[in-house]
Amino acid sequence: MKQASRIAALAVLALSTTVMLAQAAAPARPAGSIAGHPGWPAAKPEDVKSPQAILNAVYSVISGSKGQARDWNRMRALFVPDARLIPAVAAAAANGGAAHSDAIFLTVDGYIERSNGRLTSDGFFEHSIHNETEQFGNIVQVWSTYESRHNLEDAKPFARGINSFQLLKDGDRYWVVNIFWDSESPTKPIPAKYLP
């Protein structure tokens, strides 16, 4: 009888040790970008109520006259905290090789740091002229053709291109997850199907 009790006690000890080890070995469930940053700035509801509203807000917050400060907290509030802004760039040839394309990955704050001086020194106004939107569940892709001007009154834009927005639908609001863009050039004109 004593031996049976000892065996039962050892079995319980072995089982509880196995459960504790399994729990300790199980990785913690990762927190999402939004949940992991509870102090992130809150968006104005009208800025994030639809894909078109959030695109308009992004274009609005980066636009302004020469010397005009931008509302960077408003911009932060449009993006998930771990969002990326990604310009496609032409990379110089290395060691006599052919030139190629590359991508620069910027955080929201990295974009602000890189762009603030340029946006305010010359004036910068950007807006979409044509959007193509696809949505499935909580993911949205917007292919947004843009024009950039130094002044609102400028007859012609100094730059055009396409912004590829990836958005997250979160209940009654949208978040920007990424913006990946490329500028038009003489050798890379925007196709007619992406123009108004």
Side-chain angles (χ1 to χ4, degrees):
M1 185 89 164
K2 272 186 167 182
Q3 189 165 349
S5 294
R6 247 187 255 154
I7 291 172
L10 287 172
V12 169
L13 180 62
L15 181 61
S16 63
T17 302
T18 303
V19 169
M20 286 186 337
L21 288 173
Q23 289 173 342
R29 185 171 181 195
S33 182
I34 301 161
H37 296 83
W40 199 246
K44 299 175 185 176
E46 64 272 16
D47 280 351
V48 296
K49 65 183 179 181
S50 69
Q52 189 60 51
I54 201 165
L55 262 69
N56 290 345
V58 169
Y59 285 124
S60 171
V61 79
I62 63 173
S63 296
S65 302
K66 181 177 182 175
Q68 179 183 343
R70 305 306 196 264
D71 184 350
W72 294 125
N73 270 339
R74 179 184 179 206
M75 178 155 170
R76 288 180 185 93
L78 304 173
F79 290 77
V80 297
D82 296 305
R84 294 294 180 261
L85 294 99
I86 312 165
V89 295
N95 299 326
H100 65 280
S101 297
D102 206 341
I104 298 174
F105 287 75
L106 302 167
T107 62
V108 176
D109 285 329
Y111 173 85
I112 292 167
E113 183 180 318
R114 179 179 189 247
S115 304
N116 186 49
R118 186 170 31 92
L119 295 177
T120 58
S121 66
D122 295 331
F124 182 84
F125 292 88
E126 189 168 277
H127 70 279
S128 65
I129 60 170
H130 179 81
N131 292 331
E132 304 259 341
T133 304
E134 298 288 336
Q135 181 167 357
F136 169 74
N138 293 318
I139 62 172
V140 182
Q141 159 68 36
V142 183
W143 200 253
S144 180
T145 306
Y146 66 83
E147 291 185 340
S148 304
R149 290 174 168 77
H150 291 299
N151 299 292
L152 279 175
E153 317 76 47
D154 293 347
K156 290 187 175 185
F158 70 86
R160 297 192 321 172
I162 295 179
N163 285 320
S164 173
F165 284 81
Q166 286 77 49
L167 307 177
L168 171 69
K169 184 177 187 317
D170 174 23
D172 59 356
R173 75 152 290 172
Y174 289 82
W175 297 86
V176 178
V177 175
N178 286 313
I179 306 175
F180 184 33
W181 72 92
D182 200 0
S183 299
E184 183 178 45
S185 72
T187 59
K188 189 177 52 191
I190 296 172
K193 68 182 179 177
Y194 299 126
L195 294 170

